[in-house]
Amino acid sequence: MYITPWLWYDGNQHGEMDYTQWESKIITRMNQPAPVTIYLDGEYSPSNNSGTIYATFKNDSSATITGRVIIVITEDSLFYPAPNGTIWHSNVPRDYLPDNNGTNVSIPAGDSITITMPFTTHPNWNKTHCKIKTWVQNDIMQSDSTKEVWQGALVNLLELGINEEYQENTKRMNIQVYPNPVRRNGSVQFNFGIGTSYEISIFDCTGRQMVKIKGSADIINWNLRDGHGISVNPGVYFYKIQSEKFFTSGKIVIE
């Protein structure tokens, strides 16, 4: 007899119908350290409604992770009267890649795997409201009838189209990010090792862009402040670095 609105995560209800509590509860949960880092890349052509998503899962733990990867295309802000009385529908699954069973994976400690999935979209979907989401979960049912999710990630569908021009002439590059984790009153150093122009975008765990840094240097420091000069809160943040020669992404933990 649950009625909307109602907040669920970890397979259980939290926050009840007081949605003013939801954001803080979700952010607190998302900021908990995870044993997996996920990188999402790909290309998408709105003109022919087709694309490919590349989902890379890196095992940051000291043990093999065996589980299941789910990839889904969702559409937000759908408006239609449903039988339960709801008018607006958020994060509606449009398609699972390759299907709702997902993909079984086994990732050795310190290693990574990349899952490549072609996909198509329906012409009637609102592409500006579509996202590709993925998560890797333990396939073993827990005592409370849930399956633990180790990590999740998402990317806006049209971001793949925007970044498509970089794919042919760029390559993924590993850079040094130090220290990581970092103390709140410290700073993070990005060591490129080569002199080139770059653009660094840093996002919080909800996907909100905190700051964008542009320039040309071998080494750059982020002072843990957003675009308004305000110190960011402790938690998990994600960076995306793009240049004419390379691209890369990852996460930063602020303690």
Side-chain angles (χ1 to χ4, degrees):
M1 297 301 295
Y2 294 109
I3 60 175
T4 56
W6 203 280
L7 174 65
W8 287 75
Y9 63 84
D10 293 336
N12 299 295
Q13 68 273 22
H14 302 268
E16 300 181 351
M17 295 181 66
D18 185 2
Y19 55 84
T20 61
Q21 304 178 24
W22 292 5
E23 182 176 10
S24 62
K25 289 179 177 291
I26 292 173
I27 290 176
T28 298
R29 179 64 183 91
M30 292 178 70
N31 277 332
Q32 294 182 19
V36 179
T37 299
I38 302 177
Y39 306 98
L40 287 178
D41 291 305
E43 55 265 348
Y44 174 66
S45 174
S47 59
N48 59 21
N49 292 296
S50 65
T52 304
I53 187 73
Y54 309 102
T56 299
F57 300 82
K58 181 177 181 297
N59 182 355
D60 300 318
S61 73
S62 58
T64 298
I65 289 179
T66 301
R68 187 179 301 268
V69 167
I70 306 293
I71 304 177
V72 59
I73 303 175
T74 65
E75 184 178 356
D76 203 12
S77 303
L78 290 170
F79 180 83
Y80 66 90
N84 65 353
T86 300
I87 301 297
W88 287 99
H89 305 268
S90 303
N91 301 302
V92 176
R94 283 301 200 179
D95 192 19
Y96 286 88
L97 309 175
D99 53 39
N100 63 297
N101 292 316
T103 304
N104 292 320
V105 297
S106 182
I107 314 172
D111 203 353
S112 64
I113 64 166
T114 299
I115 296 176
T116 301
M117 286 290 171
F119 65 88
T120 58
T121 58
H122 194 280
N124 291 341
W125 297 354
N126 186 334
K127 309 305 189 301
T128 60
H129 291 167
C130 288
K131 293 179 172 63
I132 297 181
K133 303 179 181 181
T134 186
W135 62 91
V136 55
Q137 68 183 38
N138 189 338
D139 221 19
I140 300 175
M141 185 77 72
Q142 304 300 307
S143 58
D144 60 352
S145 300
T146 64
K147 295 182 177 181
E148 179 184 6
V149 172
W150 288 304
Q151 182 63 287
L154 63 84
V155 63
N156 293 322
L157 177 64
L158 293 184
E159 285 185 11
L160 299 179
I162 293 173
N163 294 329
E164 186 176 18
E165 60 186 287
Y166 296 102
Q167 300 301 316
E168 293 183 359
N169 301 318
T170 60
K171 61 181 181 179
R172 177 173 289 282
M173 178 177 177
N174 293 323
I175 66 169
Q176 294 181 344
V177 181
Y178 180 84
N180 192 11
V182 59
R183 296 290 185 182
R184 186 181 183 184
N185 58 354
S187 65
V188 172
Q189 181 181 95
F190 297 89
N191 189 339
F192 297 98
I194 56 174
T196 184
S197 59
Y198 61 83
E199 180 178 281
I200 303 175
S201 298
I202 298 177
F203 306 86
D204 66 10
C205 63
T206 68
R208 179 177 56 185
Q209 181 172 289
M210 307 302 295
V211 67
K212 180 177 286 188
I213 306 169
K214 296 182 179 180
S216 179
D218 290 340
I219 299 174
I220 186 67
N221 288 305
W222 177 41
N223 61 3
L224 308 187
R225 295 179 180 272
D226 63 16
H228 302 287
I230 301 174
S231 297
V232 299
N233 295 321
V236 179
Y237 293 83
F238 299 90
Y239 63 83
K240 184 175 183 179
I241 303 174
Q242 194 94 45
S243 80
E244 294 180 354
K245 297 181 179 179
F246 70 89
F247 68 96
T248 191
S249 58
K251 68 179 179 181
I252 299 169
V253 178
I254 300 176
E255 297 178 336

